[in-house]
């Protein structure tokens, strides 16, 4: 039984099997010899009118069809159409969050004008082409558009009447990939995003006295900032100190930006999956930078006066970028900048985060920042399809948030936060029909079923695997996966295969256990026998997950001793294990302690020993 499980292949849906058969994916964990992905080079001019709250723009996209297929349609995605009243949504929408959505004013492909009526568009639409796009060809797409900023700010919209978070702000070519063709899954506000690695040049027209913060390198500070503020900004790019580029009164004084009616702020980011920006005429602007192995990265914060947590964000972010680079995942922060904007989303974007202020709980505020910045690696460095496989990014961000939390707050505090905020709601939920295998496509899940898979069980699986392999081998395997797939589109099977090859072990038994079952966490002491100063402890795995745990012995004299068991004990038999433990003294009780691997019925983890 044991060997059959460890050698068995992992279930793959038919479309994924096809990708392996076609050689675009490979059992080595690497992209296959026939792997390809498409790309757009976006040149975008966008204007934000602070009075009308309209975003208008024009873009030129040079789109490379690197696929072996002729494309008869072009799928265009605009996720902010979710704010249209008639759009399908995963949750409640207030009146203030609704808008009329996107209006396409002109649309052309290779100079040919298309008559587009965008009134009926949802979040993704297939435009039927008069001439197909040939394999291995380039196509020029031009679009003029406008849309209103939602009055209520979520992941984008009006944070206040003069502060705007402008995300998902331009129509884009949806992903065409090797395992699914066009990504036509509608955005409904729950599942997150999936985009190609594109190059973006943005020219952002903002009214006088509005500062713009953005994804990418800031190309023209000299053209938009007045001398004193330009000097401070440039100083921040080389300094470890926190520099207050502009305070509240300076922002309101009209001294910060050039006094043109409109200033054009230019930013550029290459090989990145998305682009967004924010602007305000009264947010405080702090900045610093941090030296990493190969570069200095800029960190910036923009926030309302008096936000006690955001006053610390710039320092926190310096720590984040260095810690993530040096420890876990132990890959240098891949981008030139990270900016935090005070908003309402608790949401990640390439090189930016948009976080709620939690001024009365700085530990919670900091962990929010940790989580959102951890997303830099998953899904932005690794081009995760979050819409289908949310556990491939949220699970990692949750794991990295926990690991950096240990460094920041100590293990006990980090464990308590992780248990209370992540694990408890799942393990204590008795109405568990929604508890589906982690491999389940995220777009098929709702409510607690979605959250448990995306954040909780997946994170526990990564931490269980870390415990099983040990830090050194786990990091080697993780780096194999990240080296194979950064800048590309990994799917779960690429993770499984990369970890197998990177660790030099067949971990399929472990992946089957954690990803393909309805398991949960529930250990039980079945029996205890004493033989020749040895305890033979039989532990039943009622819940089924291959978890690590401690056996805590309490002796008659009140002293305790702890022994750690990794998930290896479940490799041969995932239902029961017999443990031989030396009994140095008379034992009063035995307890199984899973730590953050919280047990559904902890009562049967404790056994008192009756002494003869």
């Amino acid at each position: 039984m044991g060997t059959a499980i460890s050698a068995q292949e992992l279930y793959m849906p038919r479309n994924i099997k096809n990708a392996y058969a076609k050689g675009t994916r490979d059992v080595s964990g690497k992209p296959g010899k026939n792997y390809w992905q498409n790309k757009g080079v976006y040149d975008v001019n966008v204007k934000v009118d602070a009075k009308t709250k309209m975003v208008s723009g024009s873009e030129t996209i040079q789109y490379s069809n690197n696929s072996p297929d002729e494309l008869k349609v072009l799928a265009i995605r605009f996720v902010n159409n979710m704010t249209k009243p008639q759009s399908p949504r995963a949750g409640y929408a207030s009146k203030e969050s609704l808008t009329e959505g996107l209006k396409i004013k002109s649309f052309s492909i290779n100079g040919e004008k298309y008559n587009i009526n965008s009134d009926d568009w949802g979040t993704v639409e297939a435009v039927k082409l008069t001439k197909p796009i040939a394999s291995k060809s380039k196509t020029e797409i031009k679009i003029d558009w406008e849309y209103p900023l939602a009055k209520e700010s979520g992941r984008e919209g009006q944070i206040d009447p003069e502060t705007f978070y402008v995300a998902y702000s331009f129509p884009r070519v949806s992903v065409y990939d090797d395992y699914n063709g066009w990504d036509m899954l509608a955005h409904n506000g729950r599942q997150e995003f999936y985009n190609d690695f594109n190059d973006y040049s943005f020219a952002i027209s903002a009214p006088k006295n509005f500062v713009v913060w953005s994804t990418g390198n800031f190309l023209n500070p000299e053209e938009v900032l007045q001398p004193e503020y330009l000097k401070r900004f440039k100083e921040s790019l080389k300094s470890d100190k926190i520099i207050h580029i502009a305070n509240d009164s300076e922002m309101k004084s009209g001294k910060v930006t050039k006094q043109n009616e409109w200033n054009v702020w230019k930013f550029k980011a290459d090989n990145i999956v998305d682009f967004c920006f924010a602007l305000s005429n009264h947010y405080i602007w702090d900045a610093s930078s941090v030296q990493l192995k190969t570069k200095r990265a800029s960190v910036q914060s923009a926030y309302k006066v008096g936000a006690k947590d955001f006053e610390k964000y710039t320092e926190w972010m310096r720590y984040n970028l260095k810690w993530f680079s040096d420890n876990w995942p132990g890959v240098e922060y891949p981008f030139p900048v990270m900016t935090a904007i005070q908003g309402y989303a608790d949401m990640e974007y390439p090189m930016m985060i948009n976080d709620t202020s939690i001024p009365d709980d700085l530990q919670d505020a900091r962990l929010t920042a940790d989580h959102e910045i951890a997303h830099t690696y998953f899904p932005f460095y690794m081009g995760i399809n979050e819409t289908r496989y949310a556990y491939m990014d949220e699970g990692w961000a949750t794991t990295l948030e926990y690991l950096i939390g240990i460094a920041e707050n100590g293990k006990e505090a980090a464990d308590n936060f992780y248990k209370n905020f992540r694990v408890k709601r799942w393990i204590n939920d008795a109405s568990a029909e929604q508890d589906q295998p982690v491999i389940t496509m995220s777009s098929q899940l709702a409510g607690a079923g979605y959250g448990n898979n995306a954040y909780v069980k997946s994170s526990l699986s990564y931490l269980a695997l870390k415990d099983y392999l040990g830090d050194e081998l786990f990091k080697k395997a993780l780096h194999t996966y990240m080296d194979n797939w950064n800048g590309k589109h990994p799917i779960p099977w690429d993770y499984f295969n990369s970890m197998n090859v990177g660790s030099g072990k067949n971990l399929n038994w472990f992946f089957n256990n954690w990803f393909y079952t309805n398991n949960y966490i529930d250990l039980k002491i079945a029996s205890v026998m004493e033989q020749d100063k040895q305890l033979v402890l039989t532990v039943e795995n009622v819940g089924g997950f291959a978890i690590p745990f401690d056996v805590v012995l309490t002796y008659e004299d009140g002293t305790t001793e702890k022994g750690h068991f990794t998930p290896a004990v479940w490799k041969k038999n995932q239902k029961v294990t017999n443990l031989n433990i030396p009994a140095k003294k008379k034992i009063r009780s035995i307890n199984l302690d899973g730590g953050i691997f919280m047990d559904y019925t902890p009562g049967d983890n404790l056994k008192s020993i009756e002494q003869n």
Side-chain angles (χ1 to χ4, degrees), residues 309-516:
D309 49 352
F310 269 84
E311 289 169 3
K312 299 187 180 300
Y313 253 70
T314 310
E315 188 55 54
W316 290 348
M317 291 192 296
R318 290 187 77 250
Y319 182 86
N320 272 105
L321 269 51
K322 186 97 176 83
W323 195 92
F324 287 141
S325 297
D326 292 348
N327 297 281
W328 295 103
V331 169
E332 185 174 346
Y333 178 78
F335 305 125
V337 63
M338 172 53 78
T339 303
I341 305 290
Q342 181 188 345
Y344 300 104
D346 299 335
M347 184 66 196
E348 72 282 355
Y349 314 76
M351 308 185 215
M352 293 186 79
I353 59 174
N354 170 3
D355 280 1
T356 313
S357 177
I358 317 170
D360 51 355
D361 187 343
L362 295 185
Q363 190 176 313
D364 190 2
R366 188 170 191 180
L367 281 164
T368 302
D370 293 343
H371 180 96
E372 305 314 342
I373 292 168
H375 273 301
T376 291
Y377 295 99
F378 310 90
F380 300 138
Y381 180 66
M382 312 288 287
I384 307 294
N385 184 341
E386 302 173 86
T387 318
R388 287 172 180 263
Y389 313 122
Y391 48 89
M392 290 183 74
D393 78 297
E394 293 297 356
W396 280 109
T398 300
T399 299
L400 293 170
E401 161 209 302
Y402 168 67
L403 295 173
I404 197 173
I406 294 171
E408 290 166 357
N409 304 307
K411 186 151 191 318
E412 190 183 353
D415 281 5
N416 285 336
F417 187 90
Y418 187 88
K419 288 194 282 194
N420 289 329
F421 191 62
R422 298 297 185 192
V423 188
K424 227 175 227 181
R425 273 175 292 190
W426 164 61
I427 201 64
N428 293 340
D429 181 0
S431 63
E433 295 99 330
Q434 80 275 11
D435 203 7
Q436 297 300 307
V438 176
I439 202 74
T440 308
M441 215 168 92
S442 304
S443 53
Q444 300 292 307
L445 295 168
Y450 175 83
N452 293 338
N453 277 7
Y455 295 82
V456 183
K457 291 190 288 177
S458 53
S459 175
L460 287 166
S461 86
Y462 303 140
L463 290 165
L465 188 56
K466 178 175 177 285
D467 189 278
Y468 175 53
L469 295 175
D471 282 4
E472 195 178 333
L473 190 55
F474 178 71
K475 189 172 275 188
K476 179 174 179 264
L478 177 59
H479 286 185
T480 301
Y481 168 52
M482 294 178 79
D483 290 347
N484 284 347
W485 287 97
N486 74 78
K488 300 183 177 71
H489 292 312
I491 56 178
W493 297 270
D494 301 316
Y495 164 70
F496 302 144
N497 288 325
S498 292
M499 297 302 277
N500 282 341
V501 171
S503 67
K505 291 178 185 287
N506 185 339
L507 301 168
N508 284 2
W509 76 270
F510 180 91
F511 296 134
N512 264 306
N513 176 284
W514 273 96
F515 284 81
Y516 289 87

